[in-house]
Amino acid sequence: MTKLFIVIPCYNESEVLFETSKRLKEKFQELIKNQTVTDDSKIIFVDDGSNDNTWQIIEQLHKEYNLFSGCKLSRNRGHQNALLAGLFCAKGNCDAVISMDADLQDDINAIDRFVEEYEKGYEVVYGVRNKRKKDSAFKRITAEGFYKFMNFMGAEIIFNHADYRLLGSKALEGLFEFNEVNLFLRGLVPLVGYKSTKVYYDRNERFAGESKYPLKKMLSFAFDGLSSLSIKPIKMIIHLGSIFVLISVIILIYSLISYFSGNATSGWTSLIVSIWAIGGLNLIAIGIIGEYVGKVFLETKRRPRYIIEEYLK
Ligand code: UDP
Ligand code: MG
């Protein structure tokens, strides 16, 4: 039997919490009955500084059933930090912990298989979503492109795996050895190591409420993940720069030859084009380097990643 904790970050999720907690409670009753998990297993809802009555609901759930715990952050810190705060509460108190979203998009019937794999000796179990049948073509292409692009750029992440995963207590301890402030958990967990495996599940639509990740936030999340895991973009810029220098040498030789052979090319078109091209390239390069400098700046500050205001065990 496994003492299982579930960590669920919640930001303004009052619309879904009742249903989520109801379904999870049923699930746990079943798991406890067939002796998969112990009866002191827990579900920790992390309130990520919501401004609706999410925390009141969590308090109420905690009062009614001791299956539910609550962790309140002092303010909104974003999904990744909220998740980490919840994992911190679970650390040392359980055999394994599963992280999932509040909106029932992650199929809770996969929990059985997660625990099964853990009991076989896997410290890390990644939830990988099956084919994105329900998503629009746009969402599918951008999302799958994201995973491919990230891997190409040197950030090792698992294809189609988000934050639905199980961590054994050893992997959890390992994760807290990483002190970075720029958190991108799905890129960090593979770095922790240990024996891992995958569990496939169907991702549902959001049960209620709306996504807290609009496209703009998603793009910045992707770039954040990339620049906190990999320095390949900087290297690529250096390569690109070298190629440009090479091209300019070739053009120099070409223009010298045409000058001496008497048919010098006139015209400012090529000139103006290259000014813009090189100017643009410079700006991109400075921007990317600036992004990394910014990351270093934040890391050296060593700001806390979250502050727990209250923990209802
Ligand atoms: N979330 C959070 N803090 C935030 C934004 C989101 O804790 O600042 C939580 C949210 O409550 C949900 C999970 O992160 O449980 C995933 O968010 P959402 O479902 O909106 O993202 P999507 O599934 O659309 O990518
Ligand atoms: Mg969601």
Side-chain angles (χ1 to χ4, degrees):
M1 273 212 276
T2 305
K3 183 170 177 188
L4 179 70
F5 273 32
I6 297 209
V7 170
I8 305 177
C10 309
Y11 178 55
N12 295 342
E13 297 287 8
S14 55
E15 277 174 81
V16 300
L17 267 181
F18 280 118
E19 185 63 24
T20 305
S21 58
K22 189 176 135 244
R23 291 209 205 159
L24 277 170
K25 194 175 78 215
E26 285 160 10
K27 184 78 208 166
F28 265 72
Q29 280 164 350
E30 178 194 317
L31 289 171
I32 291 169
K33 211 169 104 202
N34 60 28
Q35 305 216 316
T36 309
V37 306
T38 61
D39 57 6
D40 55 352
S41 294
K42 291 226 181 279
I43 295 166
I44 306 177
F45 290 110
V46 182
D47 173 26
D48 185 17
S50 303
N51 31 38
D52 62 358
N53 59 346
T54 296
W55 181 244
Q56 282 76 359
I57 297 173
I58 297 172
E59 275 181 322
Q60 192 195 328
L61 286 167
H62 171 71
K63 227 182 281 164
E64 283 170 23
Y65 310 97
N66 51 15
L67 172 65
F68 297 115
S69 301
C71 168
K72 183 182 189 333
L73 299 194
S74 60
R75 55 157 294 159
N76 180 248
R77 292 292 292 128
H79 173 240
Q80 299 285 294
N81 290 307
L83 181 51
L84 194 72
L87 292 175
F88 179 76
C89 293
K91 190 163 73 82
N93 297 319
C94 59
D95 300 324
V97 57
I98 294 177
S99 46
M100 61 185 280
D101 287 354
D103 52 11
L104 294 171
Q105 282 192 292
D106 305 324
D107 177 18
I108 62 170
N109 291 313
I111 293 177
D112 306 64
R113 287 181 285 144
F114 275 102
V115 177
E116 213 173 283
E117 297 297 334
Y118 168 73
E119 286 183 344
K120 278 190 212 156
Y122 292 101
E123 265 302 300
V124 181
V125 187
Y126 298 105
V128 175
R129 46 187 300 175
N130 284 326
K131 285 233 155 17
R132 296 170 179 261
K133 278 175 253 143
K134 285 188 190 136
D135 287 345
S136 64
F138 174 74
K139 172 83 191 177
R140 195 171 59 234
I141 291 164
T142 48
E144 294 190 346
F146 162 75
Y147 289 95
K148 292 194 179 127
F149 179 69
M150 294 289 281
N151 275 309
F152 171 73
M153 292 301 251
E156 188 192 326
I157 59 172
I158 311 280
F159 188 67
N160 267 346
H161 159 71
D163 281 303
Y164 191 24
R165 74 176 80 82
L166 177 144
L167 294 173
S169 52
K170 275 189 281 178
L172 191 56
E173 291 285 342
L175 184 63
F176 278 88
E177 296 290 319
F178 290 78
N179 289 315
E180 40 209 288
V181 175
N182 297 290
L183 259 197
F184 189 69
L185 286 170
R186 66 186 81 164
L188 223 47
V189 173
L191 296 177
V192 175
Y194 294 112
K195 224 168 95 168
S196 69
T197 185
K198 293 172 192 163
V199 156
Y200 292 85
Y201 70 99
D202 287 316
R203 194 160 158 95
N204 304 316
E205 266 150 51
R206 196 172 229 286
F207 173 71
E210 53 196 34
S211 173
K212 275 83 193 166
Y213 274 100
L215 185 66
K216 195 169 151 236
K217 226 168 147 184
M218 228 158 68
L219 285 177
S220 98
F221 180 58
F223 191 66
D224 253 9
L226 185 64
S227 55
S228 60
L229 283 170
S230 156
I231 56 164
K232 202 163 166 189
I234 287 189
K235 290 203 182 116
M236 284 170 76
I237 281 191
I238 297 171
H239 290 313
L240 203 64
S242 329
I243 292 170
F244 269 62
V245 171
L246 205 73
I247 292 174
S248 67
V249 171
I250 294 168
I251 290 175
L252 184 72
I253 294 169
Y254 171 77
S255 56
L256 280 178
I257 291 171
S258 50
Y259 177 77
F260 284 116
S261 61
N263 44 5
T265 44
S266 63
W268 53 278
T269 325
S270 55
L271 205 69
I272 211 86
V273 166
S274 43
I275 287 173
W276 278 96
I278 290 170
L281 199 73
N282 267 325
L283 283 179
I284 294 171
I286 292 169
I288 290 187
I289 292 168
E291 182 73 25
Y292 282 92
V293 174
K295 286 268 148 82
V296 172
F297 173 69
L298 284 176
E299 293 290 352
T300 50
K301 275 184 185 301
R302 295 246 143 264
R303 279 188 186 151
R305 294 176 285 187
Y306 49 80
I307 293 170
I308 296 173
E309 185 178 325
E310 205 176 336
Y311 179 27
L312 303 173
K313 276 197 174 166

